[in-house]
Amino acid sequence: MNFRIAPTAAVIGLIAVLTIGAGSHALRSVSAAQQTTPTATNPPAIVTGHPAALASRGSIRYSDLPPLAPRARRAIRSIPRRVPDFAQYLQALAALEAAPGTGAATLATVQASIAEAVGANFAGIDEPNSDCQCEPPDTQVAAGPSDVVEVVNVAMNVFDKSGNFLGAKSLNDLFGIGSNFSTDPRIRYDTQSGRWFISMLSLDNAKINLSHNSYFNLAISKSSDPTGTWTLYQYETPGSLGDQPGLGISNDKVAITGNAFSCSPSCNSNQFLGNEVLVIDKSDLVSGATSPRADFYPPPVDNNSFTILPAHEIAATGLALPDTLYMASVQYPTASSIVVFEVTGTPSGGKSHGTLISPTSRPIGALDIPPPAPQLGTSKQLIDSGDNRLQDAEWRDGALWVAGDSQCIPAGDSSARACMRYIEILTSSMTVNQDFDFGTSNFYYYYPSIALDQSDNLITAFSGSSSTTHPSAYVSSQLSTDPPNSLRAPAILAPGVAIYDGTRWGDYSGAGIDPSDQSTAWVAAEFSAPGSSANWGTEIAAVQAPIGASPSPTPTPTPGKLALSKHKFNFDRVKIGKVAVQNAKVRNIAPGTLIVTIQSGLAPPFSSPQSGQTLTLGYRQSATIAIQFAPVATGEQSETLRLTSNDPRNPSVAIAVRGNGRAP
């Protein structure tokens, strides 16, 4: 595919442009772990493309930016939810909206008290003070030594740690974007360098259907003071819109990732190209280099999964971070595996990349799109609870945690709800250590963020609602000593006060560890505020684990129902020296999760590539079981293949296998 590089004049406010070498399409070999489920495919090799031309946009002092005018309004600016198959997504939502379910719980019986939060607890940015009528807000928060910074679409507020307001600025002003379309901000405070990092996507026009170029924007503070000077950079994603960019930081690298959609004939084409990754030398960014070294991986870095999300890596003060930068992704619209990407090496900025991206796939429980969430006061205005893409990732002390939305049937419930999925991977062995959904009977949770404190306790903030509860902001935790695959009862940060009248929610919440007290996490989440037309608000709080008196039990999956396309395999008169193959489909035909294990019971001349594997299938999912017959002697031979499952009606299934070998 030919990618288009914009001329220098197209970059507004450009001070200096660095073009690093010529285009290169050298193929890099990458190792991928052997798959353990037939529903997951090995990640493809990573293809390198054009070297990164990172544009330095100089620096700007926070004090030089004009203050954000209260209730400054623009037209609603919401990029459509972009997914690889948008029509399929809409069909799935329509089916779920037809039967959203009803709740019977009250707020008091579902949530714990905010009294468990510590430190400050104060209002963040709301829709009237966000510099536009934007929805969703894309809530993010981070803490430095003295300050707390929240960013949303498309504003930035600075507070001290007592919640005192220090200033509000437009992110479009910070990046010099003007009135062009912008969205999807991310913020991180890097404890190692003592710097703030903010990223955001922008286009070259105020309207998506008139845009032809997309940009990753990156700002790095000159010190730990967010009200000081910021260094600005911009990178054009060649020929694509890098939707929902992620931001990750390791010891020596910074990564920005995006879901790449074609910008031909405009950035509204919605044609999915795959993932793209920009890797930048961290030391160059921290020093304010005019020409930071960078490697760009164009789409498709991986077109078998969706939303490659880089992890924010943290360590105790004074301890080094790993050079390896970790990223993760899952398939859309349903996933049975997670792919972890290790980014190693140093960005070269030359014809050949100095970095290498190596993927490893591991099986997980079925991860499906959640149903939309009801809310108090209306049966028609449902909350968009997102899809199954990953939304937050953090690495600490050898563990990579990721979180996102999911579908589950909570314990004691009979209907599928919007739940949250948490996955912990031990990166030394690439072992899935925890993999669980969290949900509450008759309730819906969505858009989780995560932070890991100095004791490796997990702290998470999110939103939730039901037919008896307005959309509210919550926080919860898992102590490192708690039982695995569990989350404590949530505490409410801010109760929703009205029917949410907008069309979008999310697309994510925020969380970050306090570098001055790494037992404390600062969190921010969305709730329904007074008003109408995208009436969202955000709440910020400093919290410490444990939150919740005791771990909440992991929802026990409702078992599915097993169906086989055939119960007998008959290989009739296969020549010696030849191999015959027959397939059978195993399907889950009922709501719930079907877990099927294919026993290792076949002996030569019969075999199955799936022998010994365990399959996790969501409702209406299927997998293929292949049986091979390779006779070495004439005559009839037979075997029995056994399946075991959590289907109480079919805990054990015998499959008869027969073959007849004949002379060549």
Side-chain angles (χ1 to χ4, degrees):
M1 179 174 290
N2 294 322
F3 295 110
R4 183 179 67 257
I5 302 294
T8 304
V11 182
I12 301 173
L14 180 64
I15 295 178
V17 177
L18 170 67
T19 302
I20 311 177
S24 171
H25 291 279
L27 182 67
R28 287 187 179 272
S29 299
V30 294
S31 61
Q34 183 67 33
Q35 292 290 322
T36 57
T37 67
T39 54
T41 57
N42 285 328
I46 307 302
V47 180
T48 62
H50 294 285
L54 200 64
S56 169
R57 307 195 70 197
S59 62
I60 192 168
R61 290 180 298 177
Y62 183 84
S63 59
D64 290 340
L65 296 171
L68 191 67
R71 302 192 65 83
R73 293 263 176 154
R74 302 176 186 172
I76 288 182
R77 308 164 68 218
S78 176
I79 195 167
R81 180 181 300 284
R82 292 182 174 260
V83 297
D85 190 335
F86 192 56
Q88 182 184 31
Y89 171 79
L90 292 178
Q91 291 170 2
L93 271 187
L96 291 168
E97 288 176 358
T102 58
T106 65
L107 189 65
T109 61
V110 176
Q111 286 80 31
S113 169
I114 187 57
E116 293 171 281
V118 299
N121 178 45
F122 52 89
I125 305 172
D126 58 11
E127 183 272 335
N129 297 292
S130 63
D131 196 36
C132 69
Q133 288 181 298
C134 291
E135 59 167 331
D138 294 346
T139 311
Q140 288 279 273
V141 72
S146 304
D147 306 285
V148 177
V149 180
E150 182 186 27
V151 296
V152 301
N153 280 327
V154 283
M156 167 185 179
N157 276 17
V158 180
F159 307 90
D160 67 20
K161 291 184 178 179
S162 296
N164 296 310
F165 174 74
L166 301 180
K169 309 291 183 181
S170 164
L171 289 176
N172 280 26
D173 288 341
L174 173 67
F175 287 111
I177 296 170
S179 61
N180 284 355
F181 183 93
S182 60
T183 188
D184 299 335
R186 296 272 187 177
I187 186 168
R188 299 284 186 257
Y189 182 80
D190 179 41
T191 56
Q192 186 183 50
S193 63
R195 305 297 179 89
W196 300 83
F197 290 75
I198 300 176
S199 66
M200 191 168 68
L201 172 71
S202 69
L203 305 180
D204 61 358
N205 193 283
K207 296 182 179 180
I208 303 172
N209 61 349
L210 297 180
S211 297
H212 303 286
N213 295 292
S214 168
Y215 302 94
F216 289 150
N217 298 276
L218 183 63
I220 303 96
S221 65
K222 286 283 191 180
S223 69
S224 62
D225 180 8
T227 64
T229 302
W230 292 76
T231 303
L232 308 176
Y233 297 96
Q234 188 176 73
Y235 176 72
E236 180 193 5
T237 54
S240 63
L241 186 157
D243 190 35
Q244 288 206 2
L247 175 63
I249 303 172
S250 71
N251 175 59
D252 63 348
K253 289 180 281 292
V254 174
I256 302 177
T257 60
N259 297 317
F261 291 85
S262 175
C263 277
S264 178
S266 75
C267 293
N268 200 37
S269 73
N270 207 50
Q271 179 190 355
F272 183 59
L273 304 176
N275 288 274
E276 56 193 8
V277 179
L278 177 65
V279 185
I280 316 168
D281 185 272
K282 179 178 166 181
S283 63
D284 286 353
L285 294 175
V286 171
S287 66
T290 301
S291 304
R293 291 165 291 174
D295 292 341
F296 179 64
Y297 294 81
V301 169
D302 181 5
N303 55 9
N304 289 324
S305 59
F306 193 50
T307 304
I308 294 180
L309 194 63
H312 179 46
E313 301 179 4
I314 57 174
T317 303
L319 295 183
L321 293 170
D323 288 340
T324 300
L325 191 147
Y326 295 97
M327 309 187 298
S329 68
V330 296
Q331 299 127 326
Y332 171 90
T334 183
S336 59
S337 62
I338 185 170
V339 180
V340 178
F341 301 85
E342 297 176 272
V343 186
T344 56
T346 303
S348 69
K351 293 182 179 180
S352 298
H353 286 183
T355 53
L356 180 66
I357 301 178
S358 303
T360 300
S361 180
R362 290 291 182 261
I364 58 173
L367 178 55
D368 297 319
I369 292 175
Q375 58 172 320
L376 176 63
T378 176
S379 60
K380 296 181 180 180
Q381 191 80 358
L382 299 175
I383 300 297
D384 171 19
S385 56
D387 50 45
N388 72 329
R389 75 185 76 188
L390 300 180
Q391 294 167 7
D392 205 1
E394 187 152 314
W395 182 96
R396 184 166 191 153
D397 296 333
L400 172 65
W401 276 92
V402 298
D405 294 327
S406 67
Q407 176 185 149
C408 78
I409 301 178
D413 210 334
S414 58
S415 298
R417 311 291 180 183
C419 303
M420 300 178 298
R421 173 64 62 89
Y422 298 89
I423 302 173
E424 180 194 27
I425 297 169
L426 306 181
T427 52
S428 61
S429 59
M430 287 297 169
T431 302
V432 177
N433 193 47
Q434 298 188 64
D435 175 20
F436 66 98
D437 288 319
F438 176 80
T440 301
S441 180
N442 296 318
F443 213 81
Y444 297 74
Y445 295 112
Y446 31 90
Y447 298 108
S449 60
I450 52 178
L452 299 169
D453 71 11
Q454 63 189 14
S455 300
D456 297 324
N457 300 317
L458 173 72
I459 297 172
T460 174
F462 44 90
S463 298
S465 66
S466 74
S467 61
T468 60
T469 308
H470 291 303
S472 304
Y474 302 98
V475 65
S476 185
S477 68
Q478 181 199 96
L479 292 181
S480 58
T481 55
D482 282 343
N485 297 315
S486 66
L487 200 67
R488 291 180 172 242
I492 187 165
L493 289 180
V497 298
I499 294 173
Y500 181 66
D501 197 32
T503 60
R504 292 280 301 276
W505 194 272
D507 282 315
Y508 36 79
S509 303
I513 291 298
D514 191 322
S516 301
D517 176 10
Q518 294 200 16
S519 67
T520 299
W522 288 85
V523 298
E526 183 182 0
F527 66 96
S528 62
S532 61
S533 182
N535 52 307
W536 54 263
T538 65
E539 188 75 6
I540 301 172
V543 297
Q544 289 182 332
I547 301 161
S550 60
S552 182
T554 300
T556 301
T558 298
K561 184 177 181 180
L562 184 147
L564 276 174
S565 62
K566 61 194 310 184
H567 288 262
K568 294 181 180 180
F569 287 81
N570 188 4
F571 297 89
D572 188 30
R573 297 180 60 79
V574 178
K575 290 182 180 180
I576 294 174
K578 299 292 185 179
V579 179
V581 180
Q582 293 186 25
N583 296 322
K585 286 281 189 181
V586 55
R587 297 182 66 239
N588 178 11
I589 60 173
T593 301
L594 179 67
I595 302 174
V596 181
T597 299
I598 304 163
Q599 302 299 318
S600 304
L602 290 179
F606 302 101
S607 64
S608 172
Q610 288 77 44
S611 182
Q613 293 184 0
T614 297
L615 313 176
T616 302
L617 303 176
Y619 181 35
R620 294 178 178 172
Q621 283 188 306
S622 64
T624 299
I625 301 175
I627 305 295
Q628 299 174 347
F629 177 49
V632 295
T634 60
E636 184 175 301
Q637 300 167 76
S638 61
E639 280 285 343
T640 299
L641 178 66
R642 293 193 178 275
L643 310 180
T644 59
S645 80
N646 67 336
D647 180 354
R649 297 164 295 272
N650 294 287
S652 180
V653 178
I655 300 177
V657 183
R658 173 188 169 276
N660 193 342
R662 68 181 179 89

